[in-house]
Amino acid sequence: MEKLIDLRVVDGGDALARAAAEEVLRTAEAAVREHGRYTIALSGGSTPKALYRLLASADGPFRARMPWERTHFFWGDERHVPPDHADSNYRMARETMLDSVPVPAANIHRVPAEEPAEAAAAAYERELRELFQPVEGELPRFDFNLMGLGPDAHTASLFPGTSVIHETERWVAAPWVEAHRTYRITFTPPVLNAAARILFLVSGGDKAAAVRAVIEGPRDVDRYPGQVVKPARGTLLWLLDREAASLLSDTRS
Ligand code: 6PG
């Protein structure tokens, strides 16, 4: 029996960021209680900015509750640019959140995306092994994996038609993305799916067709890479605003 998709539709803007922040805090408090730290893979682009700002906001309800000193930040994917580049997902998270919260520098695990792409991917995989210290054959299990969705149904840097969608061995890869004429560095499906909690955070009508294709469309991971995200032993929540959910046949608000 296919595991039911957990899907929530909220009003956009602040309500979406607030619902996502509640998810982060709930999982962070549980992870610290259970194993003394919280590991989270951040997504990039623009949708998560409101969430990151809200988590860090000094007069918001989340900053004081966040176990910043026990949280380890990784990125599910990164553009192949230096850390101070306008396209850098690391820079975006630094400017909207990390620069203004008490997270130890050693807990911020950025992709060395200024290096040649393959070298950056290999280095990042080493960083995962160093922190998670997995036994042979085990995968790094993030407490939380935040994911976005592109209008072309890509997620992380798994773009339509790229072979990384089918990667089963490597944890981090450096695919060439023809659509953007650039390399990306990205977690592969095994790592993305090993997380205890995956949250797809999607807003805007421009994503509605991709949301419908991924959730209700025929299985075709090459065309709709978001479909490859299926938690192996965790749970998945889709958090959508009304516009992003507008083409779904059955939405629960
Ligand atoms: C990136 C992201 C990517 C993002 C989607 C949605 O590096 O761009 O990690 O997977 O989540 O492209 O981006 P928006 O939220 O900006 O629409």
Side-chain angles (χ1 to χ4, degrees), residues 43-48 77 79 89 148-150 154-157 184 207:
S43 73
S46 57
T47 303
D77 72 320
R79 286 79 181 278
N89 289 335
L149 190 72
H154 85 265
T155 190
S157 283
R184 289 282 190 98
K207 310 293 181 69

Side-chain angles (χ1 to χ4, degrees), residues 236-248:
L236 165 61
L237 169 64
W238 284 85
L239 202 42
L240 307 168
D241 66 9
R242 297 200 183 291
E243 293 74 19
S246 59
L247 295 180
L248 288 176

Side-chain angles (χ1 to χ4, degrees), residues 2 31 48 53 55 78 91 93 110 112 120-121 123 128 137 168 177 188 190 205 227-228 232 252:
E2 178 74 0
R53 288 194 184 100
L55 287 172
E78 184 56 279
R91 176 175 161 182
R110 73 171 181 85
L128 280 175
T168 57
V177 182
T188 59
Q227 289 180 342
V228 84
R252 315 157 219 15

